[in-house]
């Protein structure tokens, strides 16, 4: 499968774009874009070449940036990205998803907006904020954020979202109503008799298996999980991993049985690579067994972390896998994790990594 891979990096100080050669060996870096705003998530539309970047903070406010020329020029809009008077203001955009002609934006404090004009204006989906469990939602270490949006590939009305710290929710009617889907995921920080609540889990990453939209993988604050039924039930798949704690996960673009994961050493142990030795862990059997992929990664003094949206795959064959660190390094594998190279250094803290494959 031929194609040019474009890597889209959100960072604490703007957006960066890397363009790869045909063999994914040589990379050219451009940026920062978006006037050095904090950019939490960038996505690309391979059909049009359009790039969208969501970010902001309590000083800038929320916005979605757009570029139609691969980053040469940018515009941005915050139209509609606001809560009603009397509610806490929207601080930032934390996640974006484009599917079926609709752009969704997840924000802090946890809420969901939609745009049907490519990000020029947004309207809220108020049923999520009105969910009866809302009073029990609590901010995680990064705030009360809606950080993952997972659309169904065929059904425009079906959408999964992930909120820290509230859990996974699903809508089957385009956001008119929401159902918590957290059965089987632990909340180890809760009292022992409240370890499996309906809501209140601190989900870190949520990904959908290729070609099987009911098969989901979740990295949680308290374990790694798999669901065969669109999140209605979750089973722990952390056996064999060095830690139950981590942030990013990524699903293989074609093989539903393969998932990639970056465990960290624990929530109170430093949140860096276990034993300060970097590895991406891969399962080829839906989490029954795991393999540590280390070739080319630093095996000593690797005291870096990787944030929840900072790992991605491309759709080439073999699939490329990429992750960015809190200390500004970007690592790439062109062979599904077997070997790794550092392709960028000294960037700001990398908050997100996404791929776009152009003809």
């Amino acid at each position: 499968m031929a194609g040019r891979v474009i890597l889209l990096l959100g960072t604490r100080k703007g957006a960066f774009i890397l363009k790869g050669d045909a063999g994914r060996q040589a990379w050219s870096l451009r940026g920062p874009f978006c006037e050095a705003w904090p950019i939490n998530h960038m996505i690309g539309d391979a059909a049009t070449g359009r790039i969208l970047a969501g970010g902001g903070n309590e000083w800038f406010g929320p916005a979605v940036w757009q570029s139609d020329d691969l980053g040469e020029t940018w515009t941005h809009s915050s139209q509609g990205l606001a809560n009603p008077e009397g509610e806490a203001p929207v601080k930032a955009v934390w996640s974006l998803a484009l599917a079926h002609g609709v752009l969704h934006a997840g924000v802090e404090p946890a809420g969901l907006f939609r745009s049907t004009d490519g990000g020029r204006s947004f309207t809220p989906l108020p049923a999520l904020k009105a969910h009866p469990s809302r009073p029990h939602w609590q901010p995680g270490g990064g705030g009360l954020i809606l950080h993952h949006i997972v659309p169904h590939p065929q059904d425009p009305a079906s959408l999964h979202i992930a909120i820290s710290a509230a859990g996974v929710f699903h809508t089957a009617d385009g956001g008119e109503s929401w159902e918590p889907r957290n059965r089987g995921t632990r909340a180890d920080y809760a009292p022992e008799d409240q370890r499996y609540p309906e809501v209140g889990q601190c989900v870190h990453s949520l990904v959908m298996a290729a070609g099987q939209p009911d098969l989901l993988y979740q990295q949680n604050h308290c374990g790694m999980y798999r669901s065969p039924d669109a999140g209605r039930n979750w089973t722990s798949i952390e056996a064999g991993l060095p830690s139950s704690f981590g942030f990013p996960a990524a699903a293989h673009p074609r093989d539903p049985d393969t998932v990639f994961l970056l465990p960290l050493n624990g929530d109170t142990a430093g949140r860096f690579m276990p034993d300060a030795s970097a590895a991406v862990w891969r399962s080829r059997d839906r989490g029954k067994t795991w393999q540590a992929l280390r070739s080319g990664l630093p095996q000593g003094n690797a005291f870096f972390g990787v944030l929840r949206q900072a790992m991605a795959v491309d759709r080439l064959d073999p699939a490329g896998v990429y992750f960015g660190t809190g200390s500004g390094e970007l690592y790439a594998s062109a062979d599904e994790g077997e070997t790794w190279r550092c392709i960028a250094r000294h960037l700001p803290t990398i908050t997100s990594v996404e791929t776009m494959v152009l003809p």
Side-chain angles (χ1 to χ4, degrees), residues 97-100 102 104 149-156 158-160 208 213:
L98 181 63
H100 311 293
V102 175
H104 285 94
I149 306 168
V150 183
H152 193 285
Q154 287 89 39
D155 183 357
S158 177
L159 196 72
H160 286 84
M208 180 179 287

Side-chain angles (χ1 to χ4, degrees), residues 182-206:
N182 301 296
R183 187 178 299 119
T185 54
R186 302 190 313 276
D188 290 339
Y189 40 81
E192 189 169 351
D193 61 345
Q194 301 173 33
R195 292 285 169 86
Y196 292 90
E198 182 182 38
V199 297
Q201 290 86 342
C202 190
V203 56
H204 285 177
S205 184
L206 181 68

